[in-house]
Amino acid sequence: GNSVTQMEGPVTLSEEAFLTINCTYTATGYPSLFWYVQYPGEGLQLLLKATKADDKGSNKGFEATYRKETTSFHLEKGSVQVSDSAVYFCALSGPGNTGKLIFGQGTTLQVKP
Amino acid sequence: EAGVAQSPRYKIIEKRQSVAFWCNPISGHATLYWYQQILGQGPKLLIQFQNNGVVDDSQLPKDRFSAERLKGVDSTLKIQPAKLEDSAVYLCASSLLQGPYGYTFGSGTRLTVV
């Protein structure tokens, strides 16, 4: 079945460092791919999405490219801030495009000043 | 616009007791989801409603979990009887249309079963 695998955390970086969080997926068909972020005490928020191969999603300095050949959707940011500290979830749309999302296990990012 | 409202925010119960969670989606959102997020894992869909009909409940443990969506608006999720492994955050989300886009998540209810 469809599934998502993320790199294990926590990831600890200094402010202004480069961030990569790896995400790979297994899916039938052509799912849409998402990154969600969960700040402490808050609900999940959509960070960015890509709906087809080679699409690049971007928001707030984060970006990820839908790579069908490597079944990957890695999240990157050139210069992280303390305020980026959160849990990041990679997700894909379930079969049949009913609305179901299938999430990875989440990666905790801690950014130190 | 107001977000997705959930209550209670926290709940602690003993095993074998029952518990209910409430969700009020964004006004006009036809699709409502309940997800279970166990500590250290990503959210897992329990049930999806389109208006007041069930679209997907394939991962809902129906021997102990039940859910309903009254008049296609508010929804309640019930667990009876609770087990230790039900300790998790229960997230409600809604979207205007059926599909993986336009989700808004609530802040969740954290359940601890002791």
Side-chain angles (χ1 to χ4, degrees):
Chain A
N2 293 7
S3 65
V4 177
T5 302
Q6 292 181 233
M7 63 186 289
E8 297 230 359
V11 174
T12 303
L13 296 174
S14 297
E15 208 164 21
E16 299 184 4
F18 184 85
L19 168 71
T20 300
I21 300 178
N22 290 339
C23 171
T24 57
Y25 67 90
T26 303
T28 54
Y30 304 95
S32 294
L33 300 175
F34 307 84
W35 277 100
Y36 276 82
V37 59
Q38 189 171 37
Y39 298 103
E42 297 184 19
L44 283 162
Q45 302 172 27
L46 178 66
L47 182 59
L48 53 85
K49 70 177 187 291
T51 59
K52 60 183 188 297
D54 300 326
D55 266 3
K56 178 185 284 188
S58 62
N59 186 27
K60 299 181 181 180
F62 291 90
E63 58 182 33
T65 301
Y66 189 162
R67 302 284 189 200
K68 191 171 185 299
E69 63 276 13
T70 55
T71 62
S72 64
F73 192 55
H74 304 321
L75 182 68
E76 297 182 335
K77 187 176 185 183
S79 176
V80 294
Q81 305 300 313
V82 172
S83 57
D84 294 326
S85 299
V87 183
Y88 292 81
F89 292 92
C90 184
L92 59 80
S93 56
N97 216 35
T98 58
K100 176 180 181 178
L101 292 175
I102 297 166
F103 288 88
Q105 75 271 32
T107 302
T108 299
L109 170 66
Q110 298 174 334
V111 181
K112 297 187 173 181
Chain B
E1 62 181 0
V4 174
Q6 290 190 246
S7 67
R9 194 66 195 272
Y10 304 94
K11 190 75 176 178
I12 301 174
I13 62 171
E14 295 182 349
K15 60 184 179 185
R16 292 186 289 272
Q17 286 188 324
S18 63
V19 64
F21 313 126
W22 174 81
C23 173
N24 180 232
I26 290 175
S27 178
H29 279 197
T31 310
L32 185 146
Y33 309 84
W34 283 101
Y35 282 81
Q36 179 192 57
Q37 185 179 6
I38 294 172
L39 187 64
Q41 299 181 20
K44 180 184 80 172
L45 180 69
L46 291 176
I47 189 167
Q48 176 184 348
F49 292 95
Q50 181 69 17
N51 295 308
N52 59 353
V54 175
V55 174
D56 183 351
D57 63 357
S58 58
Q59 296 190 85
L60 187 73
K62 298 181 186 64
D63 58 333
R64 298 183 301 106
F65 286 65
S66 64
E68 61 179 3
R69 189 175 185 197
L70 302 173
K71 300 181 181 179
V73 183
D74 292 5
S75 178
T76 56
L77 177 70
K78 296 180 182 177
I79 308 175
Q80 182 178 10
K83 293 185 175 181
L84 296 177
E85 59 260 36
D86 298 331
S87 294
V89 176
Y90 291 85
L91 298 168
C92 180
S94 68
S95 61
L96 185 61
L97 301 172
Q98 184 169 311
Y101 312 113
Y103 264 64
T104 301
F105 280 90
S107 298
T109 295
R110 181 178 298 277
L111 173 68
T112 303
V113 182
V114 297

